[in-house]
């Protein structure tokens, strides 16, 4: 688990932390990637937005014989690691009592498979979260990144966390200073402030959720 790639100066860092503390947003630092109990506490209270890259998937579609029965269009699908970590993440959220409210997903098979295996609940397929048929490529007009950034700043209903499942280019377009090196299944945990901003609380790799503990 880690934070933004951006490294502010000591003076700016102190100001940033003071601002966060003033907004009652916890600083959820952890050492050597260890999951933070404080993050669990914060997420159990709701009010966060989890923007995650879909779980591990080969970069090419499967051969017809290896395609899942419901993968009717022969799209990219999760590999064994992606399936396992999706299930483990969902199990961890339920074990920890972290409430999931609205779930918005890319309409691609691999993103919806991530949602289904994690058992997040019914997802709304959102075209702006998709890959526009151009896997792993950025979109030059930036519209989908702008959409994701704006939607991520919307405050979830009381006691709930919103989940977005999308693709690396979409997340990079929306949060270029926060998402560098984002791995398959890794998530940005954001806290909308009600004023159109959503500061970063933590970055969580998909395999780290199962190591998180209840407070």
């Amino acid at each position: 688990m880690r934070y933004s790639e951006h490294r502010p100066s000591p003076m700016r860092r102190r100001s940033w932390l003071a601002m966060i503390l003033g907004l009652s947003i916890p600083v959820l630092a952890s050492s050597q990637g260890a999951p933070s109990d404080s993050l669990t506490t914060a997420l159990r209270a709701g009010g966060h937005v989890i923007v995650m890259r879909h779980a591990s998937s080969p970069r090419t579609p499967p051969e017809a014989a290896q395609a899942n029965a419901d993968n009717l269009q022969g799209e990219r699908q999760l590999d064994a690691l992606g399936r396992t970590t999706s299930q483990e993440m969902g199990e961890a959220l339920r074990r920890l009592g972290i409430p999931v409210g609205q779930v918005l997903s890319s309409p691609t098979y691999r993103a919806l498979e991530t949602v289904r295996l994690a058992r997040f609940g019914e997802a709304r397929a959102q075209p702006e979260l998709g890959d526009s048929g151009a896997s792993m490529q950025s979109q030059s007009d930036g519209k989908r990144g702008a959409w994701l950034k704006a939607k991520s700043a919307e405050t979830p209903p009381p006691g709930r966390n919103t989940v977005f499942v999308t693709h690396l280019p979409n997340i990079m377009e929306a949060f270029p200073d926060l998402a560098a090196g984002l791995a398959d299944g890794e998530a940005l945990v954001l806290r909308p402030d009600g004023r159109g901003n959503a500061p970063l609380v933590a970055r969580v790799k998909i395999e780290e959720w199962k190591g998180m503990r209840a407070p």
Side-chain angles (χ1 to χ4, degrees):
M1 187 183 305
R2 62 192 180 94
Y3 294 88
S4 170
E5 296 291 325
H6 176 64
R7 301 291 185 184
S9 67
M11 180 65 74
R12 293 193 63 184
R13 184 161 54 247
R14 285 194 294 272
S15 299
W16 181 74
L17 293 176
M19 177 189 70
I20 289 179
L21 292 173
L23 292 171
S24 299
I25 300 172
V27 180
L28 305 173
S30 60
S31 61
Q32 298 180 348
S36 165
D37 294 348
S38 298
L39 178 58
T40 303
T41 300
L43 287 170
R44 287 179 69 169
H48 293 77
V49 173
I50 299 171
V51 179
M52 67 176 291
R53 184 180 179 185
H54 65 78
S56 179
S57 169
R59 300 300 183 243
T60 56
E63 298 292 336
Q66 280 73 49
N68 294 342
D70 62 344
N71 187 2
L72 302 179
Q73 302 302 316
E75 297 181 52
R76 288 175 55 191
Q77 61 188 36
L78 302 186
D79 56 22
L81 177 62
R83 294 191 296 272
T84 297
T85 52
S86 295
Q87 292 169 341
E88 290 175 343
M89 178 184 178
E91 290 168 359
L93 295 187
R94 290 185 289 277
R95 170 177 56 82
L96 295 167
I98 295 173
V100 173
Q102 187 177 40
V103 181
L104 301 177
S105 173
S106 162
T108 60
Y109 183 88
R110 58 194 182 278
L112 291 169
E113 187 180 14
T114 299
V115 173
R116 177 176 60 81
L117 292 175
R119 293 168 53 198
F120 286 148
E122 186 174 354
R124 187 174 83 195
Q126 194 72 40
E128 292 87 349
L129 295 174
D131 65 1
S132 303
S135 179
M136 300 299 292
Q137 295 182 28
S138 295
Q139 185 171 314
S140 59
D141 62 18
K143 289 183 178 179
R144 66 185 181 187
W147 183 92
L148 176 56
K149 185 173 182 178
K151 294 293 289 186
S152 298
E154 294 182 1
T155 303
R160 291 289 181 267
N161 300 291
T162 299
V163 175
F164 292 86
V165 181
T166 183
H167 307 272
L168 180 60
N170 305 58
I171 302 174
M172 286 296 300
E173 289 166 17
F175 307 104
D177 296 330
L178 304 180
L182 201 75
D184 287 339
E186 189 172 359
L188 305 179
V189 180
L190 310 171
R191 174 78 177 189
D193 63 7
R195 296 189 294 274
N197 301 307
L200 178 70
V201 174
R203 275 178 61 159
V204 186
K205 294 182 181 298
I206 194 168
E207 65 270 16
E208 291 180 325
W209 293 100
K210 67 178 181 180
M212 293 173 64
R213 298 171 294 178

